[in-house]
Amino acid sequence: TDNFPVVNTTFSDDVYYLVMEEGTWQIGDMKVEAHVDTISTVGSDDNGWTGTTTTFDHTYSTVPIVLHQVMSNNDSAWITSFVSRSGDHTNPPSTSSMYLGLNAAEVSTSNAHAAEEIGWIALENVGTETVDGIELRTYRVSEFARGHQDGCYSYTHGGTYSTPMAFVTQNSMDGVDGSWATICSLSSTSVSMHYDEDNYHDSERSHTDEAAGMVVFDGSFD
């Protein structure tokens, strides 16, 4: 099957989550939108990285940061999500649209997967805003980080937060194997990240640099 093997390992970790009602919104000067789309287009190392062209509701002055996540389980085969520029998977979304697709990485051998719901949130990259008294920072991160096997790459976010909550999101698919952004360290002043791969077809988890977006909150909020 196209599933990861079962690994009997128990561990604990921190999970950050952001819940937003579907629609178009404004946080100060920052345009924000949230959607759920049913997507059947599968990208993988076998068939390349073509997604479903998806148009933003807002018109953005700069390329937005897109957080994305598979939100259904219609197929037992492993899957995650990816976004990139429509028609050019090696670059981030444009100011008006993006590719949105299922990311099978190296796990898929058939390039077939049941359609899944992908939830995504686009945030305009305008710097610093405040929501419910909590400071919010957005960053379009240059292609500086590489794969899990290559290290943990630190980015100073500009704030000094006692209880930071951070999200990193891969916004291109330059590496043919497929990958996803992962936080490997978080402090009051910096977020460290890399791009992880599966080791289903091979054991290496190195990866080329990718475009990324970063969203950092000074703590939790409602």
Side-chain angles (χ1 to χ4, degrees):
T1 65
D2 290 342
N3 290 310
F4 280 131
V6 174
V7 179
N8 294 317
T9 302
T10 301
F11 65 93
S12 61
D13 209 344
D14 293 329
V15 176
Y16 305 105
Y17 64 91
L18 176 62
V19 180
M20 184 176 294
E21 189 169 5
E22 190 168 14
T24 56
W25 314 104
Q26 192 100 2
I27 300 174
D29 292 329
M30 181 186 299
K31 296 174 182 176
V32 181
E33 60 187 276
H35 302 278
V36 179
D37 289 325
T38 302
I39 300 295
S40 58
T41 310
V42 179
S44 74
D45 69 330
D46 287 333
N47 72 334
W49 297 97
T50 299
T52 299
T53 297
T54 305
T55 303
F56 299 129
D57 285 346
H58 279 306
T59 299
Y60 295 101
S61 57
T62 61
V63 174
I65 292 161
V66 183
L67 307 175
H68 50 94
Q69 175 70 55
V70 174
M71 293 176 59
S72 60
N73 185 29
N74 298 324
D75 191 322
S76 62
W78 178 90
I79 204 76
T80 184
S81 55
F82 83 96
V83 303
S84 69
R85 184 163 300 176
S86 181
D88 181 6
H89 62 84
T90 65
N91 281 301
S94 71
T95 56
S96 60
S97 67
M98 64 178 176
Y99 265 166
L100 180 65
L102 297 172
N103 173 4
E106 296 177 280
V107 178
S108 175
T109 56
S110 62
N111 300 320
H113 193 95
E116 302 284 2
E117 291 187 344
I118 299 179
W120 59 273
I121 298 174
L123 303 96
E124 193 166 28
N125 185 26
V126 297
T128 306
E129 283 294 346
T130 301
V131 54
D132 193 38
I134 296 296
E135 192 169 86
L136 155 66
R137 292 173 179 260
T138 56
Y139 300 92
R140 167 63 56 197
V141 184
S142 61
E143 297 183 1
F144 80 106
R146 297 179 69 87
H148 169 87
Q149 210 167 303
D150 305 307
C152 187
Y153 298 81
S154 181
Y155 186 88
T156 301
H157 54 64
T160 303
Y161 300 151
S162 57
T163 56
M165 184 174 68
F167 301 89
V168 297
T169 179
Q170 185 170 323
N171 280 184
S172 67
M173 192 56 76
D174 209 0
V176 295
D177 286 347
S179 61
W180 49 92
T182 304
I183 294 173
C184 43
S185 181
L186 178 63
S187 74
S188 62
T189 58
S190 66
V191 178
S192 298
M193 61 174 287
H194 54 214
Y195 300 103
D196 208 354
E197 289 190 7
D198 64 79
N199 55 6
Y200 190 75
H201 281 177
D202 53 48
S203 60
E204 61 84 19
R205 289 163 69 188
S206 295
H207 197 80
T208 189
D209 49 8
E210 299 278 4
M214 186 179 296
V215 183
V216 185
F217 294 91
D218 182 17
S220 60
F221 64 92
D222 293 324

